[in-house]
Amino acid sequence: MSGYQRPEDLAFAKDLIQLAPKEAQAFLSLKSAAERSDGVIPAKYRELISIAVALTTQCAYCIDAHAKNAVAAGATREEIAEAVFIASALRAGAAVGHGLLALRLFDEAAR
């Protein structure tokens, strides 16, 4: 489904916030705390972590925002590339871990 998510969908953000203001405020407060500039983790590393997580959750909007933020924070293309492969290795590792669970559940069901 190419084009399923489109940048112009961001225009609905205001509606979403107005439709669920309490939940939106809680989310925006958490987002603000996680993205603060006065934390122990420097901004560049926060953005690299954010990109890696966005890759594993497959949030196109997050990838877009955090790639731009990473440039502003001084990240390099090489750092982005390493973050991509770190994220993909962890995602693959999670599949193996869930594979272990699948085998156990299969064995339990086969009894």
Side-chain angles (χ1 to χ4, degrees):
M1 280 191 153
S2 65
Y4 191 70
Q5 285 186 319
R6 298 181 305 238
E8 58 268 20
D9 291 344
L10 290 172
F12 291 104
K14 185 177 178 182
D15 293 338
L16 190 61
I17 291 167
Q18 290 176 345
L19 291 166
K22 187 169 185 163
E23 293 81 356
Q25 186 55 51
F27 168 76
L28 293 170
S29 292
L30 176 59
K31 184 177 181 315
S32 177
E35 295 177 353
R36 66 195 176 127
S37 61
D38 64 342
V40 176
I41 298 173
K44 179 171 87 168
Y45 300 132
R46 285 177 182 266
E47 293 307 328
L48 291 169
I49 292 167
S50 295
I51 289 171
V53 171
L55 292 169
T56 61
T57 61
Q58 299 179 325
C59 175
Y61 304 113
C62 298
I63 294 166
D64 181 30
H66 291 291
K68 291 172 183 169
N69 291 349
V71 169
T76 65
R77 292 183 88 220
E78 293 81 5
E79 289 170 325
I80 299 298
E82 286 188 16
V84 166
F85 287 108
I86 290 168
S88 56
L90 289 171
R91 185 150 175 127
V96 172
H98 282 91
L100 301 173
L101 173 62
L103 284 177
R104 179 175 56 82
L105 294 172
F106 178 88
D107 288 348
E108 289 173 1
R111 289 185 193 145

